[in-house]
Amino acid sequence: MDLYRDDFIPEEDKLGMTVTSGSVTITKDEGNLIGISIGGGAPMCPCLYIVQVFDNTPAAKDATLEAGDELVGINGTNVKGKTKVEVAKMIQATKTEVVIRYNKLHAEPKQGKSLDIVLKKVKHKMVENMNSSTADALGLSRAILCNDSLIKKLDELQRTEDMYRGLVDHTRRVLMGYFDLVRVCKELGNEFCKIGVREPQKAANEAFCKFGEYHRQMEKFGINMLKKTKPILKDLGTYLTKAIPDTKLTIKKYADVKFEYLSYCLKVKELDDEDYSYQALQEPLYRVETG
């Protein structure tokens, strides 16, 4: 194949995903619309695609076209390299039926959703330390995504976990040291009792034996105290290995859903801003007027 021919178009890398092509004929409604919103197109985007299929419209009732489908041709005309305004006018120029050729990309929905969530979190991380006016001025986010209380709660929970983990580790070291100490007390008690047994004087014998017995009692009280402390450490371990991770997971899941909802709100706000900008320029908004 001649790679230097003018009409040569290199094969697009689909990154392992499958693409199916098709054609659908849609009959317009009374308002001369088919009910789709178009995105992409020249000069910034190499392809045109469907952004949204509106409810209760001819396209929605036909159920062939979906958001994300690439538009390849309108009424037999290739739309590659055209702007979305030009394509919208081509659809509008047809009076009754529109024949649309499309490419449908088949990807794993869960992977797409995961990537979407990751991108939302990256975006949120960029703006969480900004004030709302700065983030809004930079176009990164709106006030509703700045300094989110759930993220603060996760940070607070992480600090609590670190504090309790350090407390448990320190307590274990202290108790291990205390256990070694009471073992030493027992050994001292045994030695004092041996000395007392060998002591010929009665007063000295009683003194050494009593002193040794007190040391033995210290070891018994120490072991008893350690047995009572062990359940407390076990409960703290359960708090660290069960309660905190489960709470963090619940908050993260709720935050993911919240970010999805807030991103939808941001999209609605962006569409409103687009409406206002077109009204200020006194130009028609093609995605609304032409479908």
Side-chain angles (χ1 to χ4, degrees):
M1 181 180 293
D2 186 2
L3 300 180
Y4 299 98
R5 284 167 44 194
D6 292 338
D7 59 346
F8 172 71
I9 300 177
E11 183 179 355
E12 183 180 359
D13 184 7
K14 302 298 190 305
L15 301 177
M17 295 180 287
T18 59
V19 177
T20 57
S21 300
S23 177
V24 60
T25 301
I26 300 176
T27 303
K28 289 187 170 184
D29 60 12
E30 296 84 356
N32 197 34
L33 303 175
I34 62 173
I36 62 172
S37 174
I38 302 173
M44 305 304 294
C45 184
C47 65
L48 291 116
Y49 55 89
I50 298 174
V51 176
Q52 183 179 1
V53 178
F54 298 102
D55 294 335
N56 300 318
T57 60
K61 294 174 182 177
D62 180 86
T64 300
L65 299 176
E66 297 176 313
D69 291 351
E70 180 186 3
L71 295 178
V72 179
I74 303 295
N75 295 326
T77 302
N78 195 331
V79 297
K80 196 79 171 180
K82 295 184 180 296
T83 67
K84 60 182 179 181
V85 175
E86 291 173 334
V87 175
K89 287 181 178 179
M90 290 171 65
I91 296 175
Q92 193 176 31
T94 305
K95 298 304 179 184
T96 55
E97 293 182 341
V98 182
V99 179
I100 297 178
R101 286 194 299 113
Y102 61 88
N103 288 332
K104 194 178 292 288
L105 182 66
H106 301 277
E108 178 59 43
K110 292 183 179 179
Q111 292 180 355
K113 183 176 181 181
S114 300
L115 178 61
D116 187 45
I117 293 298
V118 170
L119 292 176
K120 286 181 175 65
K121 288 183 178 179
V122 170
K123 180 179 179 181
H124 181 77
K125 276 295 181 183
M126 293 173 62
V127 301
E128 66 176 339
N129 294 320
M130 298 181 184
N131 60 49
S132 59
S133 59
T134 302
D136 191 55
L138 293 175
L140 294 175
S141 180
R142 300 282 177 180
I144 54 176
L145 277 181
C146 292
N147 302 309
D148 190 86
S149 58
L150 288 175
I151 299 300
K152 291 183 178 179
K153 184 60 67 176
L154 279 175
D155 293 338
E156 181 182 340
L157 202 58
Q158 184 62 49
R159 290 193 296 270
T160 302
E161 179 183 2
D162 294 339
M163 180 190 70
Y164 273 95
R165 195 175 299 280
L167 176 63
V168 169
D169 292 340
H170 180 71
T171 303
R172 282 176 177 162
R173 289 195 296 268
V174 170
L175 293 180
M176 288 298 296
Y178 182 72
F179 177 74
D180 293 338
L181 178 62
V182 296
R183 292 293 298 273
V184 171
C185 288
K186 180 183 178 181
E187 295 298 326
L188 285 173
N190 292 336
E191 294 301 321
F192 278 118
C193 287
K194 290 178 182 179
I195 295 173
V197 170
R198 293 194 296 267
E199 183 61 45
Q201 296 183 6
K202 182 179 180 181
N205 173 274
E206 292 178 353
F208 278 112
C209 287
K210 184 180 289 187
F211 194 68
E213 189 60 31
Y214 279 137
H215 278 74
R216 287 175 175 175
Q217 291 296 323
M218 288 174 63
E219 191 262 349
K220 292 180 180 179
F221 288 136
I223 295 298
N224 188 43
M225 189 271 287
L226 289 174
K227 289 180 178 179
K228 292 181 178 179
T229 308
K230 187 176 180 180
I232 299 176
L233 283 177
K234 185 177 180 181
D235 290 342
L236 285 174
T238 302
Y239 178 71
L240 285 172
T241 59
K242 298 287 186 180
I244 288 184
D246 289 348
T247 304
K248 289 168 68 175
L249 181 62
T250 301
I251 293 177
K252 286 179 180 178
K253 287 183 176 179
Y254 183 79
D256 289 343
V257 175
K258 182 177 180 181
F259 288 160
E260 286 189 78
Y261 171 71
L262 293 181
S263 298
Y264 172 77
C265 293
L266 291 178
K267 182 62 180 178
V268 172
K269 185 64 172 68
E270 290 170 1
L271 293 176
D272 289 341
D273 290 344
E274 187 181 17
D275 291 344
Y276 292 140
S277 63
Y278 271 78
Q279 289 176 9
L281 295 173
Q282 295 184 348
E283 293 184 2
L285 187 56
Y286 292 103
R287 66 174 171 80
V288 175
E289 293 195 359
T290 67

